[in-house]
Coordinates of all heavy atoms in Angstrom, one line a residue:
E17 N 5.9 -29.1 49.2 CA 6.1 -30.5 49.6 C 7.5 -30.7 50.2 O 7.6 -31.5 51.2 CB 5.9 -31.5 48.4 CG 4.5 -31.5 47.9 CD 4.2 -32.6 46.9 OE1 5.2 -33.0 46.2 OE2 3.1 -33.1 46.9
A18 N 8.5 -30.0 49.7 CA 9.8 -30.1 50.3 C 9.9 -29.5 51.7 O 10.5 -30.0 52.6 CB 10.8 -29.4 49.4
G19 N 9.1 -28.4 51.9 CA 9.2 -27.8 53.2 C 8.1 -28.2 54.2 O 8.3 -28.1 55.5
H20 N 7.1 -28.8 53.8 CA 5.9 -29.2 54.7 C 5.4 -30.6 54.5 O 4.4 -30.9 55.2 CB 4.8 -28.2 54.4 CG 5.2 -26.7 54.6 ND1 5.2 -26.1 55.9 CD2 5.6 -25.8 53.7 CE1 5.6 -24.9 55.7 NE2 5.9 -24.7 54.5
G21 N 6.0 -31.4 53.7 CA 5.5 -32.8 53.5 C 4.5 -32.9 52.4 O 4.3 -32.0 51.6
A22 N 3.9 -34.0 52.3 CA 2.9 -34.4 51.3 C 1.8 -33.4 51.2 O 1.3 -32.9 52.3 CB 2.4 -35.8 51.5
L23 N 1.4 -33.0 50.0 CA 0.3 -32.1 49.8 C -1.0 -33.0 49.8 O -1.4 -33.6 48.8 CB 0.4 -31.4 48.5 CG -0.7 -30.4 48.1 CD1 -0.8 -29.3 49.2 CD2 -0.4 -29.8 46.8
D24 N -1.7 -33.0 50.9 CA -2.9 -33.8 51.1 C -4.2 -33.0 50.8 O -5.2 -33.6 50.3 CB -3.0 -34.3 52.5 CG -1.9 -35.3 52.9 OD1 -1.5 -36.1 52.0 OD2 -1.4 -35.3 54.0
V25 N -4.2 -31.7 51.0 CA -5.4 -30.9 50.8 C -5.1 -29.7 50.0 O -4.1 -29.0 50.3 CB -6.0 -30.5 52.2 CG1 -7.2 -29.6 52.0 CG2 -6.4 -31.7 53.0
L26 N -5.8 -29.4 49.0 CA -5.7 -28.2 48.1 C -7.0 -27.5 48.1 O -8.0 -28.0 47.6 CB -5.2 -28.6 46.7 CG -5.1 -27.5 45.7 CD1 -3.9 -26.5 46.1 CD2 -4.8 -28.1 44.3
V27 N -7.0 -26.3 48.6 CA -8.2 -25.4 48.6 C -7.9 -24.3 47.6 O -7.0 -23.5 47.7 CB -8.5 -24.8 49.9 CG1 -9.7 -23.9 49.9 CG2 -8.7 -25.9 51.0
L28 N -8.8 -24.2 46.5 CA -8.6 -23.3 45.5 C -9.6 -22.2 45.6 O -10.8 -22.4 45.3 CB -8.7 -24.0 44.1 CG -7.5 -25.0 43.9 CD1 -7.9 -26.1 42.9 CD2 -6.2 -24.4 43.6
N29 N -9.2 -21.0 46.1 CA -10.1 -20.0 46.4 C -9.6 -18.7 45.8 O -8.7 -18.0 46.3 CB -10.3 -19.8 47.9 CG -11.3 -18.7 48.3 OD1 -12.1 -18.4 47.5 ND2 -11.1 -18.1 49.4
A30 N -10.1 -18.3 44.6 CA -9.6 -17.1 43.9 C -10.6 -16.0 44.2 O -11.8 -16.2 44.3 CB -9.6 -17.4 42.4
G31 N -10.0 -14.8 44.3 CA -10.9 -13.6 44.5 C -11.8 -13.4 43.3 O -11.5 -13.8 42.2
G32 N -12.8 -12.6 43.6 CA -13.8 -12.4 42.5 C -13.3 -11.3 41.5 O -12.7 -10.4 41.9
P33 N -13.7 -11.5 40.2 CA -13.4 -10.4 39.2 C -14.3 -9.2 39.4 O -15.2 -9.2 40.2 CB -13.7 -11.1 37.9 CG -14.7 -12.1 38.3 CD -14.4 -12.6 39.7
A34 N -14.0 -8.2 38.7 CA -14.8 -7.0 38.8 C -16.2 -7.3 38.4 O -16.5 -8.0 37.5 CB -14.2 -5.9 37.9
P35 N -17.2 -6.7 39.2 CA -18.6 -6.9 38.8 C -18.9 -6.3 37.4 O -18.2 -5.3 37.0 CB -19.3 -6.1 39.9 CG -18.4 -6.0 41.0 CD -17.0 -5.9 40.4
G36 N -19.9 -6.8 36.7 CA -20.2 -6.2 35.4 C -21.2 -7.1 34.7 O -21.2 -8.4 34.9
R37 N -22.0 -6.6 33.9 CA -23.0 -7.4 33.1 C -22.2 -8.0 31.9 O -21.2 -7.5 31.5 CB -24.2 -6.5 32.7 CG -24.9 -6.0 33.9 CD -26.1 -5.2 33.4 NE -27.2 -6.0 33.0 CZ -28.2 -6.5 33.8 NH1 -28.2 -6.3 35.1 NH2 -29.1 -7.3 33.3
I38 N -22.8 -9.0 31.3 CA -22.1 -9.8 30.3 C -21.6 -9.0 29.1 O -20.5 -9.2 28.6 CB -22.9 -11.1 30.0 CG1 -22.0 -12.1 29.2 CG2 -24.1 -10.7 29.2 CD1 -22.5 -13.5 29.2
T39 N -22.4 -8.1 28.6 CA -22.1 -7.3 27.4 C -21.2 -6.1 27.7 O -20.7 -5.5 26.8 CB -23.3 -6.8 26.7 OG1 -24.1 -6.1 27.6 CG2 -24.1 -8.0 26.1
A40 N -20.9 -5.9 29.0 CA -20.1 -4.7 29.4 C -18.6 -5.1 29.7 O -17.8 -4.3 29.9 CB -20.7 -4.1 30.7
I41 N -18.4 -6.4 29.6 CA -17.0 -6.9 29.9 C -16.2 -7.0 28.6 O -16.7 -7.7 27.7 CB -17.0 -8.3 30.6 CG1 -17.8 -8.2 31.9 CG2 -15.6 -8.8 30.9 CD1 -18.1 -9.5 32.5
D42 N -15.1 -6.3 28.5 CA -14.3 -6.3 27.3 C -13.4 -7.6 27.3 O -13.3 -8.4 28.2 CB -13.5 -5.1 27.1 CG -12.5 -4.8 28.2 OD1 -12.1 -5.8 29.0 OD2 -12.0 -3.7 28.3
D43 N -12.7 -7.7 26.2 CA -11.8 -8.9 26.0 C -10.8 -9.1 27.1 O -10.6 -10.2 27.6 CB -11.1 -8.9 24.6 CG -12.0 -9.1 23.5 OD1 -13.2 -9.4 23.7 OD2 -11.6 -9.0 22.3
Q44 N -10.2 -7.9 27.5 CA -9.2 -8.0 28.5 C -9.8 -8.4 29.9 O -9.2 -9.2 30.6 CB -8.4 -6.7 28.7 CG -7.2 -6.8 29.6 CD -6.2 -7.8 29.1 OE1 -5.8 -7.7 27.9 NE2 -5.8 -8.7 30.0
G45 N -11.0 -7.9 30.1 CA -11.7 -8.3 31.4 C -12.0 -9.8 31.4 O -11.8 -10.4 32.4
W46 N -12.4 -10.3 30.3 CA -12.6 -11.8 30.2 C -11.3 -12.6 30.4 O -11.3 -13.6 31.1 CB -13.3 -12.2 28.9 CG -14.8 -11.9 28.8 CD1 -15.4 -11.0 28.1 CD2 -15.8 -12.5 29.6 NE1 -16.7 -11.0 28.3 CE2 -17.0 -11.9 29.2 CE3 -15.8 -13.5 30.6 CZ2 -18.2 -12.3 29.8 CZ3 -17.0 -13.9 31.1 CH2 -18.2 -13.3 30.7
Q47 N -10.3 -12.1 29.7 CA -9.0 -12.8 29.8 C -8.5 -12.8 31.3 O -8.0 -13.8 31.8 CB -8.0 -12.1 28.9 CG -6.7 -12.9 28.7 CD -6.9 -14.3 28.2 OE1 -7.6 -14.5 27.2 NE2 -6.3 -15.3 28.8
D48 N -8.6 -11.6 31.9 CA -8.1 -11.5 33.3 C -8.9 -12.5 34.2 O -8.4 -13.1 35.1 CB -8.2 -10.1 33.8 CG -7.2 -9.1 33.1 OD1 -6.3 -9.6 32.5 OD2 -7.4 -7.9 33.2
A49 N -10.2 -12.5 34.0 CA -11.1 -13.3 34.8 C -10.8 -14.8 34.6 O -10.8 -15.7 35.5 CB -12.5 -13.0 34.6
F50 N -10.5 -15.1 33.3 CA -10.2 -16.5 32.9 C -9.0 -17.0 33.6 O -8.9 -18.1 34.2 CB -10.1 -16.6 31.4 CG -9.6 -17.9 30.9 CD1 -10.4 -19.0 30.9 CD2 -8.3 -18.0 30.4 CE1 -9.9 -20.2 30.4 CE2 -7.8 -19.2 29.9 CZ -8.6 -20.3 29.9
E51 N -7.9 -16.2 33.6 CA -6.7 -16.5 34.3 C -6.9 -16.7 35.8 O -6.4 -17.6 36.4 CB -5.7 -15.4 34.0 CG -4.3 -15.6 34.7 CD -3.5 -16.7 34.1 OE1 -3.6 -17.0 32.8 OE2 -2.7 -17.4 34.8
L52 N -7.6 -15.7 36.4 CA -7.9 -15.8 37.8 C -8.7 -16.9 38.3 O -8.3 -17.6 39.2 CB -8.5 -14.4 38.2 CG -9.0 -14.3 39.7 CD1 -7.8 -14.3 40.6 CD2 -9.8 -13.1 39.9
L53 N -9.8 -17.1 37.7 CA -10.8 -18.1 38.2 C -10.7 -19.5 37.7 O -11.0 -20.4 38.4 CB -12.2 -17.6 37.8 CG -12.7 -16.3 38.4 CD1 -14.1 -15.9 38.0 CD2 -12.6 -16.3 39.9
L54 N -10.2 -19.7 36.4 CA -10.2 -21.0 35.8 C -8.8 -21.5 35.6 O -8.4 -22.6 36.1 CB -11.0 -21.0 34.5 CG -11.1 -22.3 33.8 CD1 -11.8 -23.4 34.7 CD2 -11.9 -22.2 32.5

């Protein structure tokens, strides 16, 4: 905001986490994906 003025538009586009089936993802994989996506 200081360098470019009011923030009017925010596009939130996070890269995808590693592919994998739900029982194959370990705790760290879920934590990393949680931080990245949500």
Side-chain angles (χ1 to χ4, degrees):
E17 293 193 328
H20 302 276
L23 180 59
D24 293 323
V25 177
L26 177 63
V27 180
L28 297 159
N29 182 25
R37 299 181 77 89
I38 193 163
T39 56
I41 303 170
D42 61 17
D43 286 356
Q44 190 58 54
W46 281 112
Q47 190 61 48
D48 291 344
F50 173 72
E51 178 72 31
L52 173 67
L53 296 180
L54 182 60

